[in-house]
């Protein structure tokens, strides 16, 4: 698709009016701004964000800024008053630590960088994920041939996702252990996913017993909801494989 030239006043006015119509016509809670890094930041900071905030100050504005090895890539968007951005740097660390043979220290390093660069309050607003529609399913990125090891590490990744600072995003099928690369990572939710009996056992397109992964995910969500420290707590590294405790 061709890009909009937001630096053109007529184009900017069209985009702003369209956004106003959506916000006024529909009871939306937030906006995911796709491909935000391909739009002039000045348009967001001086026009689009102030105008959307004026219509609804409680809208959650989320920037999709694909890629980045450190959270510094996302800082300009947070400074422009987006509430959040997808933490692709942490996603990469999750892959390194849990899907491959890397160190858990990579996860600790990205979280520490996020806090140092953005501050704790803004770090708590970053959206963390292990899957989305633009990347292969997490389990398909695993380098481990042993199914039990792949599944164990995947469950550990879900633990990290639900307990580290930030807003955890569950991409549909994460709770089932779905596998697949494009376009399979975007396929419809399987029919068997909608009941406990249907989820039990081994299914094509998933790894392990999907009901066990579903129950594990539900338990993690419940634990997070029950403990405020997992939602608003501070972050401190007590021990990591390659460094002294901080």
């Amino acid at each position: 698709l061709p890009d909009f030239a937001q630096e053109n006043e007529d184009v900017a006015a069209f985009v702003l009016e369209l956004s106003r119509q959506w916000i006024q016509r529909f009871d939306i809670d937030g906006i995911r701004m796709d491909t935000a890094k391909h739009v002039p930041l000045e348009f967001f900071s001086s026009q689009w964000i102030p105008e959307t905030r004026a219509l609804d100050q409680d809208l959650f504005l989320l920037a999709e800024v694909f890629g980045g090895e450190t959270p510094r890539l996302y800082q300009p968007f947070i400074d422009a008053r987006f509430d959040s951005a997808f933490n692709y740097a942490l996603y990469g660390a999750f892959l390194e630590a849990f899907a491959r043979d890397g160190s858990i220290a990579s996860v600790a390093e990205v979280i520490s960088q996020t806090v140092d660069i953005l501050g704790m309050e803004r770090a708590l607003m970053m959206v963390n994920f292990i899957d989305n529609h633009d990347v292969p399913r997490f389990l398909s990125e695993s380098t481990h041939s042993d199914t039990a090891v792949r599944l164990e590490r995947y469950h550990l990744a879900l633990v990290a996702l639900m307990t580290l600072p930030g807003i955890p995003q569950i991409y549909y099928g994460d709770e089932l252990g779905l596998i697949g690369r494009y376009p399979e990572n975007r396929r419809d939710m399987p029919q068997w996913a909608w009941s406990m009996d249907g989820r039990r056992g081994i299914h094509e397109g998933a790894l392990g017993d999907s009901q066990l992964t579903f129950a594990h995910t539900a338990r993690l969500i419940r634990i997070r909801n029950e403990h405020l420290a997992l939602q608003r707590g501070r972050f401190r590294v007590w021990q990591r494989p390659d460094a002294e405790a901080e």
Side-chain angles (χ1 to χ4, degrees):
L1 294 176
D3 288 337
F4 282 116
Q6 284 87 352
E7 60 272 21
N8 181 304
E9 291 184 5
D10 292 335
V11 174
F14 170 80
V15 173
L16 292 171
E17 178 58 26
L18 187 61
S19 297
R20 278 193 292 269
Q21 291 181 23
W22 286 342
I23 294 168
Q24 291 169 343
R25 290 179 59 193
F26 304 104
D27 186 22
I28 61 176
D29 296 312
I31 297 174
R32 174 194 181 275
M33 181 55 66
D34 193 39
T35 60
K37 68 179 180 180
H38 299 295
V39 176
L41 193 59
E42 174 66 18
F43 171 73
F44 287 134
S45 61
S46 66
Q47 296 185 69
W48 187 80
I49 292 177
E51 295 223 14
T52 55
R53 295 283 188 212
L55 292 168
D56 185 348
Q57 63 179 0
D58 294 325
L59 274 178
F60 185 77
L61 303 181
L62 172 61
E64 190 257 0
V65 187
F66 192 96
E69 295 181 357
T70 79
R72 194 168 299 282
L73 177 66
Y74 322 123
Q75 183 180 10
F77 299 89
I78 304 302
D79 288 344
R81 293 189 63 211
F82 275 98
D83 293 298
S84 182
F86 292 105
N87 198 340
Y88 272 92
L90 185 59
Y91 162 73
F94 282 156
L95 282 180
E96 181 70 15
F98 299 113
R100 298 162 187 161
D101 287 321
S103 170
I104 193 69
S106 61
V107 174
E109 180 63 26
V110 171
I111 292 292
S112 296
Q113 289 177 1
T114 304
V115 174
D116 291 344
I117 293 169
L118 301 180
M120 192 66 213
E121 291 304 313
R122 298 198 297 179
L124 288 169
M125 298 293 286
M126 292 291 286
V127 172
N128 302 333
F129 63 97
I130 59 173
D131 267 336
N132 70 29
H133 65 288
D134 285 326
V135 297
R137 289 282 184 179
F138 193 88
L139 282 165
S140 295
E141 290 284 86
S142 176
T143 59
H144 300 279
S145 58
D146 188 290
T147 297
V149 172
R150 288 173 70 191
L151 199 59
E152 180 183 39
R153 283 174 167 261
Y154 180 66
H155 285 186
L156 285 173
L158 287 170
V159 171
L161 176 68
M162 296 302 298
T163 57
L164 288 171
I167 300 171
Q169 172 191 274
I170 298 293
Y171 179 55
Y172 80 97
D174 285 347
E175 75 281 16
L176 304 172
L178 293 189
I179 59 177
R181 300 179 180 276
Y182 181 81
E184 286 77 17
N185 61 330
R186 300 184 180 188
R187 69 187 179 95
D188 293 343
M189 184 75 91
Q191 188 61 40
W192 52 260
W194 303 107
S195 70
M196 182 182 296
D197 288 340
R199 290 188 296 267
R200 287 195 177 104
I202 307 301
H203 300 85
E204 183 180 357
L207 189 73
D209 187 320
S210 290
Q211 175 56 30
L212 292 180
T213 298
F214 185 93
H216 175 69
T217 307
R219 180 170 180 264
L220 291 173
I221 293 172
R222 184 173 64 253
I223 291 171
R224 181 181 175 87
N225 287 338
E226 291 173 350
H227 296 278
L228 189 61
L230 296 179
Q231 304 167 40
R232 302 293 302 170
R234 301 305 180 192
F235 177 75
R236 182 174 181 182
V237 178
W238 289 101
Q239 186 177 2
R240 53 189 283 182
D242 62 347
E244 298 289 335
E246 297 179 4

